[in-house]
Amino acid sequence: MQAFLGQIVTRNGIHLSGDIDYSGDSFASYPNGLAAVFGPDAIPQAGLIQIFLFVGFLELGVMKDVTGEAEFPGDFRNGALDFGWDTFDEDTKLTKRAVELNNGRAAMMGILGLMVHEKLNEIGMVADLPIIGALQ
């Protein structure tokens, strides 16, 4: 979901303020989409390695069931965050988990569609999307 929303927000011209590195490059100075990773003006390799290591740290060190209280795979509350989850009956919990899975699947299809449209532009097939217009 963050990938899809990140595409929509940055293509709308909204970027973080400030500099992304000590040499003075701003967040807005890098291109949007796949060009930020693979293009000629892409984020430097050291920056991509930092992102990769940070995500790895989150996966291995933070996002795990520490207490052994997980009710299902992906339950990382660890006894700290509840927000009323324990007050729901089993059918409601199952419904809410199904809705969340379907939202995740829809977001994956959304980002895949945006990536396909971005590649179509490279071969001359400009796709004018209704919300964000033609990708560049």
Side-chain angles (χ1 to χ4, degrees):
M1 290 184 202
Q2 291 175 342
F4 180 75
L5 290 175
Q7 279 274 356
I8 298 296
V9 169
T10 56
R11 288 193 182 279
N12 199 21
I14 301 170
H15 298 277
L16 293 174
S17 60
D19 297 334
I20 196 171
D21 58 14
Y22 291 122
S23 65
D25 296 323
S26 68
F27 286 96
S29 67
Y30 289 99
N32 298 319
L34 293 173
V37 179
F38 301 114
D41 297 328
I43 297 171
Q45 186 177 10
L48 295 176
I49 290 171
Q50 288 176 5
I51 293 169
F52 180 77
L53 291 175
F54 179 67
V55 171
F57 166 74
L58 290 178
E59 288 286 330
L60 297 175
V62 178
M63 302 301 291
K64 61 182 178 179
D65 180 24
V66 178
T67 61
E69 301 173 358
E71 293 182 34
F72 50 87
D75 180 11
F76 302 130
R77 293 178 293 154
N78 293 317
L81 300 173
D82 188 3
F83 300 119
W85 180 259
D86 294 332
T87 62
F88 298 128
D89 61 2
E90 291 304 315
D91 288 339
T92 304
K93 287 181 180 180
L94 190 62
T95 301
K96 289 185 176 291
R97 285 179 53 207
V99 166
E100 184 64 22
L101 281 172
N102 285 334
N103 286 341
R105 290 174 181 141
M108 285 187 273
M109 291 294 105
I111 190 65
L112 181 64
L114 287 173
M115 290 181 342
V116 166
H117 281 281
E118 190 172 340
K119 288 305 210 181
L120 285 176
N121 286 346
E122 290 179 9
I123 61 172
M125 298 177 64
V126 177
D128 191 14
L129 301 176
I131 295 175
I132 59 175
L135 299 178
Q136 299 181 29

